[in-house]
Amino acid sequence: MQEIIQYLFSGITTGSIYAVIAVGLSMLYSSTELINFSHGEFVMLGAMGILTLWVNAALPLPLAFLLTVVAVSCVGMIFERLAIKTVKKPQPITLVIITVGASIFLRGVAMIIWGKDPFSVPSFSSYESIEIAGAALVPQSLFIVFAAFILAGAIHLFFKQTLTGKAMVACAVNKKAAWLSGIPSESMGVLAFIISTGTGAAAGIFIAPITMGSYDMGTMLGLKGFCAAMIGGLGSLWGAFAGGILLGVLESLGAGLISSGLKDAIAFILLLLILYICPGGLFSAKVAKRF
Amino acid sequence: MRQSKIRSTLVVAVCVMLMIAPIIGASSAMAASIYKIGGVFDSTGPASFLGDPEQKTMQMMVEQINATGGIDGNMLEAVIYDSEGDPAKAVSAVNKLLHKDNVIAIIGPSTTPTTLAIVNFVEKAQVPLISCAAGVEITSPIKPWVFKTAQSDLLAVAAIYKTMQSKNIKKIAILTVSNAFGESGKKQLVGQSKEFGIEVIMQESFGPNDTDMTAQLTKIKSASPDAIVCWGTNPGPAVVAKNVKQLKIEIPLYQSHGVASPKFIELAGDAAEGIILPTGKILVTKLLSDDDPQKKILAKYEADYKAKFNTNVSGFGGYSYDAMVMLANAIKGSGGDKNKIRDALESTQKYIGVSGEFNFSATDHNGLSPDAFVMVEIKDGTWKLLDK
């Protein structure tokens, strides 16, 4: 029994990492209908940014956090302006390939700047783990769950309560109609990129103490985050959140109860099963039909 | 009609000439007293922590040899390619070295998969290869043209098991990374356990990019072994070390030589305390007693490397150091003849290098013994030699 609780806690730790990444991916999808495969690289930039500003330059944590998020959002904006906006015929497949290219590019640049070795980032709070019913929980994973929750909540409110947020959704539903009704669809696209990459950077900052920072950490995290968003239903923020936690718990239970060698296989088979039974994901919006 | 036929024949002839021309150029360059030596290293990509210092060391050695007048008055030229940890890229690099650059010997690649991918090509072309990878499969069974300088996993496992015997450890659980390095370690850990009277009661694995191993460790904890052996390269083993502390597991943790670098202590922090691992002597040069035959050569390599690249030396660069020195000795007096170089390599005896004392023979193309490793414990953020 004690072991099961430990597996659940481990699952929540990894799951919260996937969740916080999936939220940013999902947000961009629901406002631009674009899947950004370089999202993991923006997460990596967040982790490396906090390493440079907080650990190496010894700035206070809140300031380093803010600077990192702003800097990475700027990179996201430049990426949108230079690579996404300039595409003549924005077919979905073209844009997806561009994001894949961007991820390779960002990884290469990061390798030149920070080198090939991984770096460790200290935990935000004291190191001791919390013990509940004989199972240990790392405090940092509580921070991550909390961050994912806040991010998802804030973006949810932004979409539902503010005019800008609603305008952004309108652009995703029908760009031309939104433009005709006076919404500056182009600046909405940039804004969506800025917010999404900013959340990616925030995710990277929160997970860095657990994952450690290295130039090639983004790829796997981006893929797992994408899976989590798929499980939850692309475009649904709470779905992405729940999907991340679910994927983490499944992996951990698979490793603990069946075999650690099959850990990823178990998680991915379940992903396929879920998508087979409900193709839109577990929490997809019921009005999936867009015209 | 006829004219066009002539023209097409001409085109073909010109093409053939163009194809042959570089080959002639290359062989005439050979005559101008330059020995070309090839290098293939994983200088970038996941195994760059191996390939990067190996490549730098090879360049440094070639410069040193040329500065002292080359070999028998002939200058060396290093042709180095990056295989990026990809066997397919290693194959194309080696084919370039063999057929375009016409090298007389090759050093590298850095990992077992990349090396195994190319051995058939060098065997066929009959060019000596000195690999910097650790896998036992490279030199067992013996391939006439293939040598290696890295200590085998076999020796690392033997060194660990010897220490365990002295500490009266009988039951162990192993936690290996799911790539070639971890698989090879697992094979050796399980294979040699009987010989040392040790029982492997649990085998778990983790992915190279996993961020949390508490599930595996919880499972291991419930089986209560006498020790845990983790086999991997950074950052995975550092995560394992941290997780062991978080779960408050009191079982001794052993790591492989794959993490024998200061980087591991930096990554694992306090969690590294008390971990025991095998390492080449380069990590603990200062701790060695003065009568250790390797001490002098280690100190020289360390000083040279630091002076040239302004970074700390890593044990992995030593593999290409030893390869270069033995190759240079073998080339001496061979006149660049590949058969003579191979024979001279195979008869290398009592060469004291960075990784240990090498004694090559027709039946041993690695030439090291288990005392190439020393066992160290991490104490107060630094290494401490364990008594044998």
Side-chain angles (χ1 to χ4, degrees):
Chain A
M1 189 58 211
Q2 186 191 328
E3 274 124 48
I4 302 281
I5 297 174
Q6 185 63 58
Y7 295 146
L8 284 178
F9 282 177
S10 306
I12 289 169
T13 308
T14 29
S16 61
I17 293 172
Y18 302 154
V20 74
I21 295 166
V23 166
L25 255 176
S26 195
M27 181 264 154
L28 188 72
Y29 182 80
S30 56
S31 50
T32 61
E33 296 228 303
L34 172 69
I35 295 165
N36 179 9
F37 276 102
S38 61
H39 194 71
E41 265 58 43
F42 287 98
V43 174
M44 176 270 293
L45 287 179
M48 298 313 255
I50 202 74
L51 173 90
T52 310
L53 295 174
W54 184 45
V55 182
N56 294 347
L59 293 178
L61 183 59
L63 181 65
F65 185 99
L66 202 72
L67 280 177
T68 305
V69 172
V70 170
V72 176
S73 307
C74 285
V75 176
M77 185 180 78
I78 295 167
F79 167 50
E80 201 273 350
R81 290 281 86 178
L82 290 184
I84 299 288
K85 196 215 136 204
T86 48
V87 179
K88 281 216 180 84
K89 283 183 195 152
Q91 305 280 335
I93 185 78
T94 325
L95 296 177
V96 165
I97 298 292
I98 288 175
T99 65
V100 172
S103 89
I104 297 170
F105 172 75
L106 288 172
R107 200 155 59 235
V109 171
M111 187 184 88
I112 294 167
I113 299 177
W114 286 287
K116 297 162 194 161
D117 284 327
F119 296 95
S120 78
V121 176
S123 194
F124 292 171
S125 65
S126 64
Y127 185 67
E128 280 292 296
S129 43
I130 307 160
E131 209 167 293
I132 302 165
L137 184 64
V138 195
Q140 189 69 28
S141 60
L142 291 177
F143 275 111
I144 300 172
V145 177
F146 184 69
F149 204 74
I150 295 285
L151 281 179
I155 295 169
H156 177 83
L157 284 180
F158 173 71
F159 277 152
K160 296 284 174 209
Q161 301 296 327
T162 69
L163 199 59
T164 324
K166 285 176 180 167
M168 212 180 257
V169 178
C171 282
V173 175
N174 191 325
K175 210 170 182 179
K176 207 166 221 174
W179 182 72
L180 281 173
S181 54
I183 297 171
S185 59
E186 211 172 83
S187 49
M188 286 300 137
V190 187
L191 192 59
F193 256 91
I194 292 178
I195 297 176
S196 164
T197 51
T199 57
I205 294 170
F206 277 103
I207 67 173
I210 288 189
T211 60
M212 299 187 237
S214 70
Y215 78 98
D216 59 352
M217 67 189 277
T219 318
M220 197 60 189
L221 290 174
L223 275 180
K224 287 280 171 72
F226 175 66
C227 287
M230 289 289 286
I231 292 178
L234 263 179
S236 152
L237 290 170
W238 298 111
F241 182 78
I245 302 281
L246 190 66
L247 184 64
V249 170
L250 285 178
E251 273 189 10
S252 159
L253 286 178
L257 298 179
I258 305 172
S259 155
S260 48
L262 295 174
K263 188 185 66 161
D264 288 338
I266 294 162
F268 283 115
I269 287 169
L270 281 164
L271 169 70
L272 286 177
L273 267 181
I274 289 170
L275 291 181
Y276 181 71
I277 296 163
C278 41
L282 289 176
F283 303 89
S284 64
K286 287 287 167 280
V287 277
K289 226 180 174 185
R290 282 176 171 170
F291 47 88
Chain B
M1 186 64 194
R2 224 181 117 215
Q3 252 192 337
S4 73
K5 208 169 191 181
I6 292 173
R7 199 175 290 159
S8 64
T9 324
L10 260 174
V11 170
V12 171
V14 170
C15 286
V16 169
M17 260 176 64
L18 284 175
M19 275 160 65
I20 294 172
I23 301 174
I24 297 169
S27 48
S28 62
M30 282 271 292
S33 74
I34 282 182
Y35 288 148
K36 275 195 184 183
I37 298 174
V40 182
F41 301 107
D42 299 349
S43 311
T44 61
S48 59
F49 69 99
L50 298 167
D52 187 54
E54 285 163 4
Q55 185 207 330
K56 283 180 174 158
T57 304
M58 178 167 174
Q59 283 165 340
M60 182 180 89
M61 293 303 290
V62 168
E63 274 171 38
Q64 279 184 6
I65 291 169
N66 284 343
T68 54
I71 299 173
D72 301 335
N74 298 309
M75 291 295 142
L76 290 185
E77 185 189 333
V79 186
I80 299 178
Y81 293 111
D82 180 4
S83 52
E84 300 170 38
D86 181 350
K89 291 205 171 105
V91 167
S92 71
V94 162
N95 278 321
K96 255 191 263 175
L97 289 173
L98 293 176
H99 304 299
K100 188 171 145 272
D101 301 312
N102 289 310
V103 296
I104 55 169
I106 299 175
I107 294 180
S110 314
T111 65
T112 306
T114 44
T115 304
L116 290 177
I118 63 152
V119 287
N120 283 338
F121 294 90
V122 295
E123 281 289 299
K124 217 182 210 169
Q126 308 211 318
V127 172
L129 173 88
I130 309 181
S131 168
C132 296
V136 191
E137 308 94 306
I138 296 168
T139 50
S140 144
I142 290 284
K143 300 159 194 80
W145 295 86
V146 179
F147 300 82
K148 80 187 189 84
T149 50
Q151 302 101 328
S152 291
D153 303 348
L154 188 125
L155 304 178
V157 169
I160 289 180
Y161 279 172
K162 255 186 207 160
T163 307
M164 285 185 168
Q165 266 183 332
S166 70
K167 290 184 186 284
N168 206 17
I169 288 168
K170 293 265 180 268
K171 293 182 299 174
I172 60 165
I174 61 175
L175 183 56
T176 56
V177 65
S178 57
N179 62 18
F181 181 73
E183 288 303 318
S184 169
K186 182 159 120 187
K187 215 165 121 193
Q188 290 302 327
L189 283 165
V190 175
Q192 289 187 46
S193 58
K194 269 214 187 88
E195 207 178 305
F196 289 89
I198 287 167
E199 193 191 350
V200 178
I201 56 167
M202 191 171 264
Q203 300 177 28
E204 293 295 325
S205 67
F206 60 89
N209 286 316
D210 281 3
T211 53
D212 185 279
M213 283 68 153
T214 45
Q216 291 93 319
L217 287 167
T218 306
K219 206 171 166 186
I220 288 175
K221 189 184 180 184
S222 63
S224 58
D226 297 335
I228 303 169
V229 182
C230 170
W231 209 266
T233 50
N234 287 329
V239 177
V240 170
K242 281 186 177 178
N243 288 163
V244 164
K245 285 276 142 61
Q246 279 156 10
L247 295 175
K248 304 196 169 72
I249 296 176
E250 304 287 335
I251 305 164
L253 178 61
Y254 286 72
Q255 296 270 5
S256 74
H257 53 304
V259 296
S261 71
K263 193 81 209 170
F264 175 71
I265 300 184
E266 186 194 318
L267 288 178
D270 294 340
E273 290 295 303
I275 289 174
I276 298 173
L277 64 149
T279 166
K281 289 182 183 170
I282 185 126
L283 204 59
V284 289
T285 307
K286 289 203 180 74
L287 304 178
L288 293 176
S289 68
D290 283 331
D291 56 359
D292 192 297
Q294 279 176 264
K295 185 159 183 166
K296 229 164 135 191
I297 199 160
L298 289 171
K300 181 180 179 314
Y301 172 51
E302 238 180 289
D304 287 353
Y305 192 88
K306 193 151 191 189
K308 183 153 173 60
F309 300 109
N310 202 23
T311 50
N312 279 327
V313 76
S314 100
F316 308 120
Y319 304 150
S320 80
Y321 181 95
D322 292 338
M324 266 315 288
V325 175
M326 285 191 282
L327 183 60
N329 288 340
I331 293 176
K332 238 172 248 168
S334 71
D337 183 79
K338 291 165 199 156
N339 274 306
K340 280 187 190 159
I341 297 174
R342 193 211 80 88
D343 294 344
L345 266 178
E346 196 168 69
S347 55
T348 299
Q349 285 292 318
K350 296 217 162 100
Y351 159 67
I352 312 263
V354 170
S355 305
E357 185 186 312
F358 289 86
N359 289 301
F360 283 144
S361 69
T363 51
D364 187 358
H365 279 193
N366 185 16
L368 290 167
S369 60
D371 56 6
F373 278 111
V374 286
M375 294 298 289
V376 292
E377 185 179 353
I378 300 171
K379 267 246 167 80
D380 305 321
T382 185
W383 316 100
K384 199 185 127 250
L385 272 179
L386 280 186
D387 300 328
K388 279 194 185 154

